[in-house]
Amino acid sequence: MTSVLPPFVQAASGSLGAASANALTYPLDLITTRIQATEKDTSIRKQIHTYGLSSLYDGIGADTSATLLSSFLYYYVYSFLRALVVRGNGKSKAAMLSLPQELAIGYLSGIASRSITTPLNLVTVRLQTARVSDDSSPQGGTSRFTAVCKQILREEGLRGFWKGFSSNFVLSLNPAVTLYLFQQYRSVMLKGKERASPPPGHSFVGGALANSIAVIMLYPLLLAKTVVQASRRSNSTNSSSQGPSIRSSLQGIYTTGGFFALYRGLGAQLFKGILRQGTAMMVKQRIEQLVVQAYLRQRALRRVQYKG
């Protein structure tokens, strides 16, 4: 039901797929982050009119790096742990595991990848929201990235780069649930060879549906994490005051706007997720197919040479 390729191949194909999807949907990601962090009504047209076309790609370098690293680590750890569990159960590599086993493996993989990439994610959020906040970091290229890093270090120290990380202990279920639901989609909707190697259309639809369900389940925490990471410590005399926590952010959003405020920006998040996750799964599956085809051709060529 799942890929039987080596962990490195799965990690490489997964990270390339995620990076491709990230580049395609980045303007939507930026708009979604600004809606979540600032509560301001915005759109791609308004952003272009106010800040110019280049503003739609604020922080894309940091975000692409984080996406590549996070996806590579996630798929590598996931495929490695899954292989260990399957071997321990005495099953074939393509066997479906139980729901608790799949979620546990995906959860641990998510924690491992996010623990390393959270600093890059934090810098990305700061870069994405700088134009619509009171941030005074300089504009332009890598200097902005460096300035944001220095600002975080100056205001909150080294620990500040892991701001909002506590939410990952729940949010790491997101990729686990997404991958599990995608595998269930394959087992229910596809048969035979297509189940082992889904066509691009099914990879896109299955990935999009799985991600949408996972996002809806965990969206309030995702919103609170963005608010926490986008917040900047005040330069007032009370410099020892702590920034908002995940819990206080959720309480503040609910108190100010009620239950539905916990889902502000959900529409943009779902639309972005459909395009991103669908594209990522489609590219990942295609790369894995090409790897398998190349291996089979090489093996066939060796057989011919051996017989000759």
Side-chain angles (χ1 to χ4, degrees), residues 32 35-36 212 215-216 219 263-271:
T32 302
I35 292 174
Q36 293 172 337
S212 296
V215 166
I216 292 172
Y219 188 76
Y263 289 88
R264 72 169 185 250
L266 176 61
Q269 181 75 31
L270 287 176
F271 184 57

Side-chain angles (χ1 to χ4, degrees), residues 98-114:
S98 65
L99 175 59
Q101 288 175 322
E102 289 283 7
L103 291 181
I105 293 171
Y107 179 78
L108 292 174
S109 303
I111 289 291
S113 65
R114 289 171 187 246

Side-chain angles (χ1 to χ4, degrees), residues 144-203:
R144 291 188 60 218
F145 179 88
T146 303
V148 169
C149 291
K150 289 180 178 179
Q151 182 186 52
I152 295 170
L153 191 62
R154 182 175 64 252
E155 293 177 354
E156 304 180 66
L158 193 60
R159 290 181 59 185
F161 285 97
W162 278 267
K163 192 175 184 180
F165 179 76
S166 60
S167 64
N168 288 325
F169 289 105
V170 178
L171 287 176
S172 289
L173 285 172
N174 191 312
V177 171
T178 298
L179 196 56
Y180 176 77
L181 291 176
F182 178 69
Q183 292 183 12
Q184 290 300 314
Y185 175 88
R186 292 167 64 177
S187 66
V188 173
M189 301 299 295
L190 303 176
K191 296 180 179 180
K193 293 182 178 180
E194 285 191 344
R195 182 178 292 179
S197 182
H202 277 289
S203 295

Side-chain angles (χ1 to χ4, degrees), residues 2 13 32 59 64 76 79-80 88 110-111 126 131-132 137 141 167 170 193 210 235-236 243-244 271 290-291 300:
T2 188
S13 61
T32 302
T64 300
Y76 189 90
S79 57
F80 177 77
I111 289 291
R126 292 289 186 91
R131 292 182 190 265
V132 291
S137 60
S167 64
V170 178
K193 293 182 178 180
N235 291 324
S236 63
F271 184 57
L290 292 174
V291 170

